[in-house]
Amino acid sequence: MPDPTPRPEDDLAFIRRVIEGARETASDGSGHLILWGCLLATAQTLTYLVHQGHMTVSVTAIWAVTVAIGFVGSSLLGNRNLKRAPVNSLVNRILSSIWIGCALSLSLIGFLGLGSGSLPQQVAPGLQAVVIGTSFFASAVLPNHAIYWLLAAVWWILGGALLLRPSPESNLVIAGGLVLLMVVPGVVLRVRRGTSFQLHLVA
């Protein structure tokens, strides 16, 4: 009969799997960063064009489509990542919850705030930047990605600047920020993950 007493090496192996799961989730989260960064940047740009009178599309419709595509894409990515993760640990679930909460918050600001007109168009981008910065900060400690700490600080600085000096161009500013501070880091994390995986195979 197998020995029911847990061995120290078994505990260490489990802890290592948990850490690997967190790192895998953070790397695979690059897909979510790229997806939402592109979608939100597009929505912000279209919102700016509508408010400037260059388009007659409803802002509510823009954000409704953005939210729908985003959550469908995130669900597909999440299911794929769950199958590939070394272990479905508490760390993985916490990271997922942080970014789901971020997406919901951004969606509410855009869909209900901007779409209904209850939130000034010039103020919403600053609020969204602060939410994104908080999400990067909260998730940085788990996989211990130094780039997440830096991104959180930059997002907060950007959000503070947009709140202090709101302007009609704030939507374009945050659209550029989404590309530079969300899509680009997502691509970098994805490339690094692919390189690390190849080195692991060679080793």
Side-chain angles (χ1 to χ4, degrees), residues 1-72:
M1 295 181 62
D3 186 5
T5 305
R7 297 175 299 175
E9 54 268 27
D10 293 335
D11 293 336
L12 291 175
F14 177 77
I15 293 173
R16 184 174 62 185
R17 290 177 61 207
V18 170
I19 294 174
E20 290 175 352
R23 291 175 178 171
E24 183 78 8
T25 300
S27 297
D28 282 342
S30 61
H32 297 280
L33 294 179
I34 296 170
L35 172 66
W36 281 100
C38 291
L39 287 173
L40 292 172
T42 302
Q44 294 286 359
T45 302
L46 293 177
T47 299
Y48 170 79
L49 294 175
V50 169
H51 284 289
Q52 293 300 309
H54 301 301
M55 295 179 61
T56 57
V57 182
S58 169
V59 174
T60 302
I62 292 173
W63 284 92
V65 173
T66 299
V67 171
I69 295 175
F71 277 104
V72 170

Side-chain angles (χ1 to χ4, degrees), residues 53-156:
H54 301 301
M55 295 179 61
T56 57
V57 182
S58 169
V59 174
T60 302
I62 292 173
W63 284 92
V65 173
T66 299
V67 171
I69 295 175
F71 277 104
V72 170
S74 287
S75 298
L76 296 175
L77 288 172
N79 290 333
R80 186 195 67 176
N81 294 343
L82 184 61
K83 295 177 181 179
R84 296 172 55 183
V87 57
N88 184 22
S89 68
L90 177 62
V91 174
N92 295 359
R93 294 194 293 273
I94 291 174
L95 285 171
S96 298
S97 298
I98 289 172
W99 287 102
I100 289 174
C102 175
L104 284 172
S105 300
L106 295 176
S107 301
L108 288 173
I109 293 173
F111 185 65
L112 297 181
L114 289 174
S116 66
S118 61
L119 188 64
Q121 177 260 337
Q122 300 179 8
V123 175
L127 293 177
Q128 291 173 323
V130 171
V131 171
I132 296 173
T134 302
S135 301
F136 272 111
F137 181 82
S139 58
V141 66
L142 295 173
N144 196 24
H145 269 312
I147 189 174
Y148 277 28
W149 298 107
L150 177 61
L151 289 170
V154 175
W155 273 110
W156 278 337

Side-chain angles (χ1 to χ4, degrees), residues 189-200:
L189 287 173
R190 174 147 295 199
V191 171
R192 287 180 57 185
R193 177 185 175 277
T195 303
S196 301
F197 182 71
Q198 292 174 2
L199 291 176
H200 178 71

Side-chain angles (χ1 to χ4, degrees), residues 156-195:
W156 278 337
I157 293 172
L158 178 61
L162 291 175
L163 290 174
L164 284 174
R165 295 292 181 89
S167 71
E169 287 73 32
S170 294
N171 291 102
L172 292 182
V173 173
I174 195 173
L178 286 163
V179 174
L180 294 176
L181 303 175
M182 186 172 283
V183 177
V184 172
V187 173
V188 171
L189 287 173
R190 174 147 295 199
V191 171
R192 287 180 57 185
R193 177 185 175 277
T195 303

